[in-house]
Amino acid sequence: MALTNAERQRRYRQRLKARASGAALVDQTRDAVNRAIDALWAFHQRPGPSGVRWADVDGCFTLELYRAELERSPGNLLQACRAFLPDFAGLSAAEAKAITQVIELSDALRLAPPRLIPLANAA
């Protein structure tokens, strides 16, 4: 059944209130992490400098295997994200932004001072 315009507007206002109150923060963080994993996976499927795909090097041929490898140790995701600093070589602008968000979230959780991460050089 299709939603009425009033119902759509009500749901939209509820989502805005949840975002403003911080109630949706955990879900937003999970979404950011998933976007970063998708960006890392996309890079993982491309050939490296030697012409061999990174998947052929580490043996992670599916997203599930790759994600399991990132989950194996708490620092793996952040280490994979930070590997692209300072210039995000080989990433699209959207991929670089997704990875930057995870780095910034990590810095905020560690109470590290904010730093400028340049996205202008992202390929």
Side-chain angles (χ1 to χ4, degrees), residues 67-122:
R67 188 178 183 99
E69 183 65 24
L70 291 174
E71 292 172 354
R72 189 173 51 83
S73 177
N76 283 355
L77 174 62
L78 190 55
Q79 183 179 8
C81 290
R82 288 189 187 278
F84 290 99
L85 291 175
D87 60 357
F88 298 97
L91 296 177
S92 70
E95 292 166 346
K97 181 178 179 184
I99 289 172
T100 298
Q101 287 178 336
V102 168
I103 293 169
E104 289 174 346
L105 282 168
S106 171
D107 288 349
L109 290 171
R110 290 184 305 110
L111 300 177
R115 61 181 158 160
L116 177 64
I117 300 175
L119 288 174
N121 295 332

